[in-house]
Amino acid sequence: MGQPTIKDVAKLAGVSISTVSRVMNNSKPVSPEARQKVLDAIAKLDFKPNELARSLVMRKSNLVGVIVEDIGIEYMAQLIRGIEEIGRVYKYDILLQSSYGDENALNNSIDFLATKQVEGFIIITQNLSDEALLKLRETRIPFILLDKFHAYKNLTTVKVDYKKEQYNLTKYLFSQGNDNVLFIGDKADNVLNNAKIAGYREAIEELGKEEFIVKIDGITSNDGYNIGKEAIDVCKENGITAVSLLNDEVAIGFIDYCADNGIKVPDDISVAGFGDSSIASIYRPNLTTVAIPYYDIGAISIRALIKRIKKEDEILDKDWIIDCNIVARESSK
Amino acid sequence: MGQPTIKDVAKLAGVSISTVSRVMNNSKPVSPEARQKVLDAIAKLDFKPNELARSLVMRKSNLVGVIVEDIGIEYMAQLIRGIEEIGRVYKYDILLQSSYGDENALNNSIDFLATKQVEGFIIITQNLSDEALLKLRETRIPFILLDKFHAYKNLTTVKVDYKKEQYNLTKYLFSQGNDNVLFIGDKADNVLNNAKIAGYREAIEELGKEEFIVKIDGITSNDGYNIGKEAIDVCKENGITAVSLLNDEVAIGFIDYCADNGIKVPDDISVAGFGDSSIASIYRPNLTTVAIPYYDIGAISIRALIKRIKKEDEILDKDWIIDCNIVARESSK
DNA sequence: ATGAAAGCGCTAACAA
DNA sequence: TTGTTAGCGCTTTCAT
């Protein structure tokens, strides 16, 4: 004998299994005496309903599949926190899979999770191929895409308006008294980067300032260090006193370059990152940056997904745009 | 009509559902013709077996429950990576829950996951109460505990021998030419901290050196900064040239204090952390530390758990001790 | 080699 | 208010 089943409870309580089921689910009236007998039997046997069986008959697994590119990436972990915590409120549990950027692994995960009868997917990835998107659609299981670069049409999602955030950040830097602001963006032609450049440009144009953009070929702190010379040269030639970089890691590399070359941050030059990764508040100088509320994005995503599962998804007929906050710290003034 | 079922396949292929099942599982011989018809039907319908139904009848969910204190904590995310990736090799999927250190949430998670018929648990937490342990045992579901501080008897696990690692690190610092090494430990009386102190002491005694220990009341970088004065005073008075701190964050705070007070790391003093968190390799100076192979711990844990599930667990009659590596970087010489 | 039938643990008509 | 019964989608005897 393994775990006690509803039959064992029924036998011990001297009622039928339907009555036990009714007590458990409060689905139909049960006489107080019968209810008490059932409750006693449940307690005595320490009975726990088998959710697998329940899911099977109710055609409802209360499971959502979360496929994450790499849980080791800080912001993805933050997203999962929000998903998990809010999902639980709605009695949904998370089935977690990682794809490590491998298209094949992603496809397998989708299939696998579909066989587990997940009611929805949340896909957390830097980028998603059209093929994968197609595959996802074929399952006919609702999904939410949380990637950084996607620009698909007809696909509602929860996201950050990077253009607006970069616009705000740029204006903030000017408002601090900087006469010129350099933006260091990505050489890659992706939606994320283009949005930030557009936001920077909008602020520049609005203020009637001159545009200075340097493009970098990578997004690590090393890349930030390596762009240092070129960026500093541009700054010196043009009286630039503030540099806004595409992310925190690159910004930190850039600050390192400055430190190695006698340039004081923020005294000689103000520096801003983007993202508010954990290192931004530990590094010295602490980094001025834009805090992306990943937890909230995760939370809203799972709520939206569940609404969609329940077919109440008028609410997600448009994208959710999440506002970020500028976090002013030591690296800028 | 929702998803196609085995019945639909059987009908289309003109065979019984038993035959379809046999083809899918290769459980019994099937004639080549029948097999082909079934395969064709499966392909045509894009049929995917319902794992819920399968789990129910086979009494095997292929699910392990992972309860993590907080997925936002870097090392926990690393553990999950290992668990997830290796679990998948064995066809196990992860049902993820977070407890956020709340005993009640933990209990609920255990119950909840049990109803989902998980075959095993992996509990990742800083510390686990005796009550929770009892609760876990009552489920009669195999589990592995991955906490930092536990010292339960009769509980095999996968862990780091902190005493040995601190011993090795201390000896390493001496081998680099340091005459005296200060250890900065935790005021708290916990297994983890006591083990590190014991390791430090063993090295000290073995080398016939003098013991210097400063205790700190917290484990953040701020705490490391705040202990700076006291630690530096001890160093100056006793000709200490190397400081080994309980973790990377504290070490970085301490280095900050040094930087603010004209003490050069590593020229004036060598500093070592513990853990090899991501910041250790980004911070300047890069931090010498002990790399704990969390991914491997996760990987070995899930393997051990699966063996135990399959009752092949002679292999885990004792603890698994995972070796760490000293990562020598710029902060020490 | 194949199909009919029982049953995994549960819910939900349907009767009574 | 209650019990009986028929499934949910699948695996696995047991016959044939």
Side-chain angles (χ1 to χ4, degrees):
Chain A
M1 286 291 305
Q3 292 293 101
T5 74
I6 197 173
K7 273 188 192 164
D8 302 314
V9 175
K11 189 178 295 172
L12 183 61
V15 298
S16 74
I17 59 168
S18 332
T19 301
V20 177
S21 173
R22 282 164 196 144
V23 173
M24 286 170 44
N25 302 303
N26 262 306
S27 47
K28 288 233 168 169
V30 173
S31 70
E33 310 84 60
R35 157 164 281 116
Q36 196 51 54
K37 282 191 290 183
V38 169
L39 257 21
D40 289 347
I42 286 178
K44 185 160 182 187
L45 295 173
D46 191 27
F47 166 76
K48 307 220 177 55
N50 182 329
E51 285 293 332
L52 246 42
R54 192 177 224 175
S55 294
L56 182 61
V57 59
M58 301 194 69
R59 296 139 166 285
K60 180 151 186 17
S61 66
N62 276 280
L63 252 27
V64 298
V66 173
I67 305 178
V68 63
E69 187 167 322
D70 185 348
I71 200 178
I73 297 175
E74 188 184 342
Y75 83 86
M76 298 195 174
Q78 299 304 326
L79 284 168
I80 293 176
R81 282 177 73 158
I83 295 169
E84 197 272 336
E85 199 161 357
I86 302 304
R88 187 193 315 213
V89 172
Y90 293 91
K91 309 277 182 238
Y92 275 82
D93 203 26
I94 280 177
L95 227 32
L96 184 74
Q97 297 249 321
S98 304
S99 68
Y100 299 108
D102 175 8
E103 185 81 5
N104 218 31
L106 178 61
N107 282 339
N108 286 340
S109 288
I110 293 171
D111 278 343
F112 180 74
L113 292 174
T115 68
K116 295 273 186 183
Q117 311 303 116
V118 296
E119 297 178 37
F121 287 108
I122 294 185
I123 315 287
I124 306 175
T125 168
Q126 307 263 11
N127 210 340
L128 190 75
S129 72
D130 290 351
E131 294 74 37
L133 184 62
L134 194 64
K135 170 118 197 157
L136 217 37
R137 287 204 159 115
E138 276 173 357
T139 65
R140 311 211 117 281
I141 298 172
F143 64 93
I144 299 259
L145 204 56
L146 256 32
D147 76 348
K148 287 208 154 175
F149 302 138
H150 85 260
Y152 301 110
K153 300 299 175 201
N154 312 322
L155 192 63
T156 56
T157 184
V158 181
K159 63 185 178 187
V160 168
D161 182 346
Y162 289 101
K163 180 180 171 192
K164 186 183 73 181
E165 301 304 336
Q166 183 63 52
Y167 166 86
N168 288 340
L169 177 62
T170 307
K171 284 194 71 169
Y172 167 79
L173 291 170
F174 278 112
S175 78
Q176 295 302 100
N178 293 293
D179 283 334
N180 282 303
V181 174
L182 167 66
F183 179 70
I184 297 189
D186 197 335
K187 273 213 175 77
D189 175 36
N190 64 54
V191 185
L192 170 61
N193 189 51
N194 295 346
K196 286 181 188 161
I197 290 178
Y200 166 79
R201 284 213 170 110
E202 190 168 308
I204 290 287
E205 282 166 19
E206 189 177 310
L207 298 169
K209 299 286 185 175
E210 195 175 345
E211 169 183 317
F212 300 101
I213 296 179
V214 166
K215 295 208 174 174
I216 196 177
D217 197 14
I219 58 169
T220 69
S221 60
N222 269 339
D223 301 317
Y225 191 94
N226 294 333
I227 204 73
K229 180 162 180 3
E230 181 182 347
I232 290 297
D233 285 348
V234 173
C235 289
K236 285 186 176 155
E237 286 164 21
N238 299 284
I240 296 169
T241 54
V243 180
S244 172
L245 296 101
L246 73 163
N247 70 27
D248 292 344
E249 290 69 32
V250 169
I252 280 165
F254 176 69
I255 294 177
D256 287 344
Y257 175 86
C258 292
D260 288 351
N261 291 274
I263 297 156
K264 301 249 180 303
V265 172
D267 296 328
D268 298 335
I269 202 158
S270 286
V271 175
F274 204 109
D276 196 26
S277 59
S278 66
I279 196 170
S281 55
I282 297 179
Y283 213 73
R284 302 184 82 206
N286 294 170
L287 195 63
T288 291
T289 186
V290 176
I292 304 176
Y294 289 113
Y295 177 92
D296 295 344
I297 295 176
I300 290 175
S301 299
I302 184 76
R303 287 214 313 137
L305 180 63
I306 291 170
K307 294 232 174 201
R308 195 177 286 184
I309 289 170
K310 293 182 178 166
K311 317 274 189 209
E312 311 167 354
D313 66 332
E314 345 72 53
I315 207 161
L316 202 83
D317 276 355
K318 52 163 186 20
D319 286 349
W320 284 75
I321 307 294
I322 306 291
D323 285 331
C324 302
N325 287 311
I326 293 171
V327 185
R329 298 206 185 89
E330 302 165 355
S331 71
S332 73
K333 61 158 198 186
Chain B
M1 285 290 304
Q3 292 293 100
T5 74
I6 196 173
K7 272 188 191 165
D8 302 313
V9 176
K11 190 178 295 173
L12 183 61
V15 298
S16 73
I17 59 167
S18 328
T19 301
V20 176
S21 174
R22 282 164 196 143
V23 172
M24 286 171 45
N25 303 302
N26 262 306
S27 49
K28 287 230 168 171
V30 172
S31 70
E33 311 82 62
R35 157 164 281 116
Q36 196 52 53
K37 282 190 290 182
V38 170
L39 258 21
D40 289 347
I42 287 177
K44 186 160 181 186
L45 295 173
D46 191 27
F47 165 76
K48 308 222 175 55
N50 181 329
E51 284 294 332
L52 246 42
R54 192 177 222 174
S55 294
L56 182 61
V57 59
M58 302 194 68
R59 295 141 164 285
K60 180 154 188 10
S61 66
N62 276 280
L63 250 30
V64 297
V66 173
I67 305 178
V68 64
E69 185 167 323
D70 185 347
I71 200 178
I73 297 176
E74 188 183 343
Y75 83 86
M76 296 194 175
Q78 299 304 324
L79 284 169
I80 293 176
R81 283 177 73 157
I83 294 169
E84 197 273 336
E85 198 161 357
I86 301 305
R88 186 192 317 211
V89 173
Y90 292 92
K91 309 277 181 239
Y92 275 82
D93 203 26
I94 280 177
L95 226 32
L96 184 73
Q97 297 248 320
S98 304
S99 69
Y100 298 108
D102 176 8
E103 185 81 5
N104 218 31
L106 178 61
N107 281 339
N108 286 340
S109 288
I110 293 171
D111 277 343
F112 180 74
L113 292 173
T115 68
K116 294 273 187 185
Q117 312 304 114
V118 296
E119 297 178 37
F121 286 108
I122 294 184
I123 316 286
I124 305 175
T125 170
Q126 306 263 12
N127 210 339
L128 191 75
S129 73
D130 290 351
E131 294 73 37
L133 183 62
L134 193 64
K135 170 117 197 158
L136 216 37
R137 287 204 159 115
E138 275 172 359
T139 66
R140 312 211 117 281
I141 298 172
F143 66 93
I144 300 259
L145 204 56
L146 255 33
D147 75 349
K148 287 208 154 177
F149 302 138
H150 84 261
Y152 301 110
K153 300 298 176 201
N154 312 322
L155 191 62
T156 55
T157 185
V158 180
K159 64 185 179 186
V160 168
D161 181 347
Y162 289 102
K163 179 179 171 191
K164 185 182 75 183
E165 302 303 337
Q166 183 63 52
Y167 166 87
N168 288 340
L169 177 62
T170 307
K171 284 194 71 169
Y172 167 79
L173 290 170
F174 278 114
S175 78
Q176 294 301 101
N178 293 293
D179 282 335
N180 282 303
V181 174
L182 167 67
F183 180 71
I184 297 187
D186 197 335
K187 273 214 176 80
D189 175 35
N190 65 52
V191 185
L192 171 60
N193 188 50
N194 294 347
K196 285 182 187 161
I197 290 179
Y200 166 78
R201 285 213 170 108
E202 189 170 309
I204 291 287
E205 281 165 21
E206 188 177 312
L207 297 169
K209 299 286 186 175
E210 194 176 346
E211 171 183 316
F212 299 102
I213 296 179
V214 166
K215 295 207 174 177
I216 196 176
D217 196 15
I219 57 169
T220 69
S221 61
N222 269 338
D223 301 317
Y225 191 95
N226 294 333
I227 203 73
K229 179 161 181 9
E230 179 182 347
I232 290 297
D233 286 347
V234 173
C235 289
K236 285 186 175 155
E237 286 164 21
N238 299 284
I240 294 170
T241 54
V243 180
S244 171
L245 296 100
L246 74 163
N247 71 26
D248 291 344
E249 288 70 33
V250 169
I252 280 166
F254 177 67
I255 293 176
D256 288 343
Y257 176 85
C258 291
D260 287 351
N261 291 275
I263 297 156
K264 301 249 178 304
V265 173
D267 296 328
D268 299 333
I269 201 156
S270 285
V271 174
F274 204 110
D276 196 25
S277 59
S278 66
I279 196 171
S281 55
I282 297 179
Y283 213 74
R284 302 184 81 205
N286 295 169
L287 195 62
T288 291
T289 187
V290 176
I292 304 176
Y294 289 113
Y295 177 92
D296 295 345
I297 295 177
I300 291 174
S301 298
I302 184 76
R303 286 214 314 137
L305 181 63
I306 292 171
K307 294 230 174 203
R308 194 177 287 185
I309 289 170
K310 293 183 178 166
K311 317 273 190 208
E312 312 166 354
D313 66 332
E314 344 74 51
I315 208 161
L316 203 84
D317 278 354
K318 53 165 183 24
D319 286 347
W320 284 74
I321 307 293
I322 306 292
D323 285 331
C324 301
N325 286 312
I326 293 170
V327 186
R329 297 204 184 92
E330 301 165 356
S331 72
S332 74
K333 61 158 199 186

